[in-house]
Amino acid sequence: MQNQSTAKSTDTVTPSDRHRIIFASLIGTTIEFFDFYIYATAAVSIFPLLFFAKGDNNTALLASMATFGVAFVARPIGSILFGHFGDRVGRKATLVGSLLLMGIATFLIGLLPTYQQVGLYAPAMLTILRFCQGLGLGGEWSGAALLATETAAPGKRASAAMWPQLGAPFGFILANGLFLLLTTWFGYDSTHAEPTDPFLIWGWRLPFLLSIGMVVIGLYVRLKLNETPVFARAVERGERLKSPLAEVLRKNPRELLLGMFIMVATYGVFYLMTTWVLSYAIGKVESGGLGIGYKDFLKLQLASVLLFAAGIPVAGKLADRYGRRSLLLVVTVALIVFGFSFSLFLAPEAMGTGEQANLGLMLIFLCTGMSLMGLTFGPMSALLPELFPTNTRYTGSGIAYNLASILGAALTPFAATWLAHSYGAGSVGIYLAILGSLSFVALWISQETRDRDLDTMASEAATEAVESTSP
């Protein structure tokens, strides 16, 4: 049961306030993930053709995957930058800043010249803007998670915190649904792509340019929010720190490492089921791919993401009832088993290639992976904030979440592309099983956080390195 101080932390939040907060956290993360995923989709199917020198297809794809991974290097930096202001100035103002940075960077990607127009300046500018995307998303997730958890009703933190998590599948559906509509409208065929295709000339830019409208809506909603009562009371008690980062590194290194490794498998399975499997499925047979048409595969992927979205609220309720740790231990074992099954689904001799590819088998594979993704992703926005005290919670949860992105996401599409090309799809599943094993160990040695009080701090944090004056 939640204790009295936990109830106190949310007693000033009315049901109508919570509905507004739910909408604000959901729409914000949806926009940010939409921006992030349109790049991921383009990095597989478009950028290798437009932003890198012509040559070997696998080399261009690997180069594009490398720029994709740059954002994951930027995300921990973004979590430090925005976490500093989130823990000193407040959750609301910081969330507005992260949304602006992400939105502007995404819009500018839609205006970039190609390699054929400006040479090496094209991939350089693309990499810089991708880095800015990573900075923005690095500050977004933890702020949205705190907005939900610090205003949740007693005993329902995981159920409340699952709303910003839904931004991931919703953003994915919007991004890839828009690409599906555009490729259908333009009649674009990825298996016979030509530089003169209208879609490659200008059609691909539309999702990036249109994202600015969503950003305006998100800003309007967030500017109307109030600060969370948990943070407001920490300010009243004079508990803001001069350097939240230094305090986290000094007082909570164990929590940082646990949070990072707990999250690794979640990142790994998602970017295998979205970015890598897309490149593998639509890749040319002679280059080691399955030769499935882009539009055919995207339809399967969009259908499977619905199960990702459905799994998140289920996981939130289960995590509130049985605990975060117990649920995630079971789901992580399932992820490891799933990893060892990759060759049964994805090997060319099992799946088939080109027009003979078994799309039904591919759909089963995608639905299995995405269902597990929803169950492991759902509780994370409650668990990671619960590891840290109020005055370092934005910084700590953000760093843990985004350090995991380097191990579980930045390297995963690149490593999986190389593994599949060198050793076959089964080796990619073993890679996932290894990530799952790391997460399982971290969960096993961690403690349950369901009943922790977010409105209290460690005694040391209340007396040391605290700045009692306003910033």
Side-chain angles (χ1 to χ4, degrees), residues 45-46 175-190 197-200 203-204 206-207 293-300 302:
S45 58
I46 297 164
N176 288 280
L178 183 54
F179 266 112
L180 179 60
L181 290 175
L182 289 172
T183 53
T184 301
W185 181 30
F186 282 89
Y188 176 69
D189 184 357
S190 64
D197 285 342
F199 181 73
L200 290 180
W204 69 270
L206 293 177
Y294 174 72
K295 286 183 286 188
D296 291 334
F297 181 79
L298 196 54
K299 291 174 184 177
L300 300 178
L302 285 170

Side-chain angles (χ1 to χ4, degrees), residues 119-149:
L120 291 175
Y121 288 109
M125 289 186 288
L126 182 66
T127 302
I128 291 171
L129 291 176
R130 179 61 173 171
F131 187 86
C132 292
Q133 276 194 320
L135 288 178
L137 192 58
E140 165 64 28
W141 179 86
S142 50
L146 265 58
L147 195 66
T149 56

Side-chain angles (χ1 to χ4, degrees), residues 367-384:
C367 287
T368 303
M370 284 297 185
S371 297
L372 291 173
M373 174 62 198
L375 293 175
T376 185
F377 189 57
M380 291 298 176
S381 55
L383 188 156
L384 295 185

Side-chain angles (χ1 to χ4, degrees), residues 77-409:
I77 300 173
S79 65
I80 293 171
L81 174 65
F82 287 102
H84 177 84
F85 292 104
D87 283 325
R88 282 185 53 79
V89 178
R91 309 341 187 181
K92 172 185 171 180
T94 307
L95 280 169
V96 169
S98 67
L99 184 61
L100 273 174
L101 178 59
M102 184 78 168
I104 292 171
T106 303
F107 179 78
L108 291 177
I109 289 174
L111 299 176
L112 285 179
T114 65
Y115 182 88
Q116 288 73 25
Q117 293 171 318
V118 296
L120 291 175
Y121 288 109
M125 289 186 288
L126 182 66
T127 302
I128 291 171
L129 291 176
R130 179 61 173 171
F131 187 86
C132 292
Q133 276 194 320
L135 288 178
L137 192 58
E140 165 64 28
W141 179 86
S142 50
L146 265 58
L147 195 66
T149 56
E150 292 184 344
T151 56
K156 296 183 178 180
R157 277 206 300 260
S159 298
M162 70 90 184
W163 287 103
Q165 301 297 78
L166 282 173
F170 288 177
F172 185 91
I173 291 169
L174 286 174
N176 288 280
L178 183 54
F179 266 112
L180 179 60
L181 290 175
L182 289 172
T183 53
T184 301
W185 181 30
F186 282 89
Y188 176 69
D189 184 357
S190 64
T191 60
H192 301 90
E194 296 292 337
T196 56
D197 285 342
F199 181 73
L200 290 180
I201 294 174
W202 65 276
W204 69 270
R205 300 178 184 274
L206 293 177
F208 293 89
L209 300 176
L210 292 174
S211 67
I212 200 67
M214 298 176 64
V215 171
V216 172
I217 297 173
L219 287 174
Y220 174 79
V221 173
R222 286 191 168 176
L223 287 171
K224 289 183 169 293
L225 293 177
N226 296 318
E227 189 53 76
T228 70
V230 172
F231 179 80
R233 274 191 290 276
V235 172
E236 291 174 0
R237 295 192 298 262
E239 294 171 349
R240 279 187 290 189
L241 299 168
K242 292 180 179 179
S243 177
L245 174 62
E247 188 73 0
V248 166
L249 295 177
R250 188 163 64 94
K251 297 292 181 60
N252 304 109
R254 183 176 186 273
E255 288 78 8
L256 281 176
L257 289 174
L258 284 177
M260 177 179 69
F261 283 107
I262 285 171
M263 189 72 195
V264 159
T266 303
Y267 267 118
V269 68
F270 183 71
Y271 283 96
L272 287 178
M273 300 307 300
T274 54
T275 305
W276 170 75
V277 77
L278 173 62
S279 67
Y280 177 71
I282 71 173
K284 295 180 179 179
V285 176
E286 56 269 25
S287 299
L290 296 177
I292 299 173
Y294 174 72
K295 286 183 286 188
D296 291 334
F297 181 79
L298 196 54
K299 291 174 184 177
L300 300 178
Q301 203 171 40
L302 285 170
S304 69
V305 171
L306 296 176
L307 292 177
F308 173 25
I312 290 174
V314 171
K317 291 186 178 297
L318 291 175
D320 276 334
R321 182 170 182 178
Y322 299 107
R324 292 76 160 113
R325 180 176 177 271
S326 299
L327 171 65
L328 288 172
L329 281 170
V330 173
V331 176
T332 303
V333 170
L335 279 176
I336 295 171
V337 174
F338 176 60
F340 286 113
S341 74
F342 270 40
S343 60
L344 301 178
F345 288 101
L346 298 180
E349 54 269 25
M351 177 67 65
T353 58
E355 294 182 357
Q356 284 70 49
N358 188 337
L359 299 185
L361 187 62
M362 178 61 79
L363 181 61
I364 293 173
F365 171 78
L366 292 173
C367 287
T368 303
M370 284 297 185
S371 297
L372 291 173
M373 174 62 198
L375 293 175
T376 185
F377 189 57
M380 291 298 176
S381 55
L383 188 156
L384 295 185
E386 288 168 349
L387 293 174
F388 301 93
T390 301
N391 60 355
T392 59
R393 187 170 295 134
Y394 203 127
T395 301
S397 61
I399 292 176
Y401 179 84
N402 289 299
L403 281 178
S405 74
I406 296 179
L407 294 177

